[in-house]
Amino acid sequence: MRSASAKRQGLTEQDIDEGVTHYATSARFTAAEKAALRWCELMALDPERIDAEFQRTLRRHYSDEEIVELGAFIGFNIGYHTFFGTLGFYPMFSPDGRLVSQEESARLYGAAPVSLATTNGPADQRG
């Protein structure tokens, strides 16, 4: 998310933090974005709750092709973060989009990503 292309598209650190901690009540996100963020949370923490009703919610906002693409992306990222979490390593990008060392990342963002520090966010168990 902290890539140069994401920055060019307008993504801010505040958007990232808000998406991790308060997406459901945030005015920053559209209903479609909130559905996608909820899907991330459910896939990471409680996949059994992805039922027919939730799938109908996704279909109100996304085509079948978009659902497949988004689901694959979410699954990849859950695996990616889990893998790096097992190593205690969190590759991050600087605010200007550069991939930074673990030391610089810790200086910029703290010892671990916000998504790992939150107690109510979707990444509690992902690492």
Side-chain angles (χ1 to χ4, degrees):
M1 282 203 273
R2 291 176 169 92
S3 68
S5 68
K7 298 295 182 188
R8 284 191 299 273
Q9 293 176 41
L11 187 68
T12 67
E13 292 298 317
Q14 293 79 19
D15 293 331
I16 294 168
D17 292 347
E18 188 83 2
V20 169
T21 57
H22 305 292
Y23 73 86
T25 58
S26 174
R28 290 180 189 260
F29 303 102
T30 66
E33 291 167 332
K34 288 178 182 184
L37 290 166
R38 176 71 176 146
W39 196 16
C40 294
E41 181 175 44
L42 290 173
M43 283 181 67
L45 301 177
D46 200 1
E48 299 82 29
R49 292 187 58 200
I50 301 172
D51 57 11
E53 180 180 340
F54 184 76
Q55 290 175 14
R56 282 191 293 276
T57 298
L58 287 175
R59 283 190 169 75
R60 279 196 291 274
H61 302 288
Y62 301 103
S63 68
D64 287 343
E65 293 83 2
E66 290 169 324
I67 289 170
V68 169
E69 183 176 353
L70 184 57
F73 183 79
I74 293 168
F76 170 81
N77 277 280
I78 290 170
Y80 172 84
H81 288 283
T82 300
F83 167 67
F84 281 112
T86 65
L87 301 175
F89 175 75
Y90 308 100
M92 301 291 278
F93 291 88
S94 68
D96 64 1
R98 294 176 297 109
L99 182 62
V100 297
S101 69
Q102 191 66 49
E103 293 76 23
E104 186 173 355
S105 178
R107 186 179 58 74
L108 290 167
Y109 305 111
V114 169
S115 59
L116 299 178
T118 182
T119 57
N120 297 320
D124 283 351
Q125 298 173 359
R126 280 191 282 148

